[in-house]
Amino acid sequence: INNVSNYCLNNGLTINIEKTNVVVFGSNTQHSKFKWYVNGQDIAVSDQYNYLGIVFHKNSKFKLCSDSLMKKGQRTYHVLASTLFGDELNPKISCNIFKAIVEPIIMYNCEIWGIDSALLKNIDTFGPEKLQTRFCKRVLGVSRTTQNWACRAELEIGRAHV
């Protein structure tokens, strides 16, 4: 922290203390005893921090991050619903819109999320996978009980990959 502070001072930059937080990763409660300072000012200690849309949590897991992105993706999906599911729109075009607008949101930075062992047992419970499956069934106008693989095959879309 001191090196960053010195760099900023030497280059005419300032650190905005109100936007600066410290996240101590791990479950060790002894870390809470420490105080963090920049230029004599207290830095807040947080359990989580949102940086460029990625939520970093002290437990070093990205569940909170993926959940947050799923909520954003679902909101976007619902806003686009009238466009995606119009009678006059070709299902292939709907798929292209979904892939271009919704998928980048729900899969943002998924390379760093990691895989949960429970997820491996049933990939269909994975958030992006569930939203993609719901989209496929709705765009095709089929029942919720229709096989997931059949809907993907009909629309020629693969699974949501992490």
Side-chain angles (χ1 to χ4, degrees):
I1 293 177
N2 291 333
N3 289 341
V4 171
S5 177
N6 290 336
Y7 176 85
C8 289
L9 289 172
N10 292 337
N11 291 288
L13 302 171
T14 57
I15 297 174
N16 186 343
I17 296 299
E18 293 167 10
K19 291 184 175 182
T20 304
N21 287 325
V22 171
V23 177
V24 180
F25 294 96
S27 59
N28 191 344
T29 55
Q30 290 181 349
H31 294 302
S32 61
K33 295 177 186 176
F34 295 106
K35 292 278 188 182
W36 303 86
Y37 299 95
V38 168
N39 300 330
Q41 293 181 301
D42 235 2
I43 302 175
V45 177
S46 302
D47 288 345
Q48 64 187 41
Y49 190 75
N50 188 331
Y51 180 72
L52 298 177
I54 300 299
V55 180
F56 292 90
H57 193 271
K58 71 177 185 177
N59 67 8
S60 302
K61 296 186 180 179
F62 287 96
K63 173 102 174 85
L64 216 57
C65 176
S66 63
D67 289 349
S68 166
L69 293 170
M70 273 305 301
K71 285 178 186 169
K72 291 176 187 176
Q74 286 170 336
R75 281 195 301 266
T76 304
Y77 171 81
H78 292 296
V79 167
L80 289 174
S82 61
T83 304
L84 292 173
F85 308 120
D87 291 334
E88 65 282 344
L89 196 60
N90 181 320
K92 296 286 184 193
I93 294 171
S94 293
C95 288
N96 289 339
I97 293 171
F98 182 85
K99 286 179 187 177
I101 297 174
V102 179
E103 267 189 19
I105 295 170
I106 61 178
M107 300 301 286
Y108 178 65
N109 235 352
C110 66
E111 300 85 1
I112 64 169
W113 295 351
I115 297 291
D116 185 315
S117 59
L119 173 65
L120 292 175
K121 293 177 184 169
N122 187 3
I123 193 72
D124 290 330
T125 62
F126 179 50
E129 191 76 20
K130 283 171 59 174
L131 187 59
Q132 184 190 59
T133 301
R134 189 178 336 146
F135 162 77
C136 290
K137 290 180 180 183
R138 186 153 176 209
V139 81
L140 291 172
V142 297
S143 162
R144 287 182 5 193
T145 58
T146 304
Q147 293 292 318
N148 298 345
W149 64 267
C151 295
R152 280 193 198 86
E154 179 68 27
L155 293 172
E156 298 174 1
I157 339 183
R159 287 186 173 275
H161 294 290
V162 179

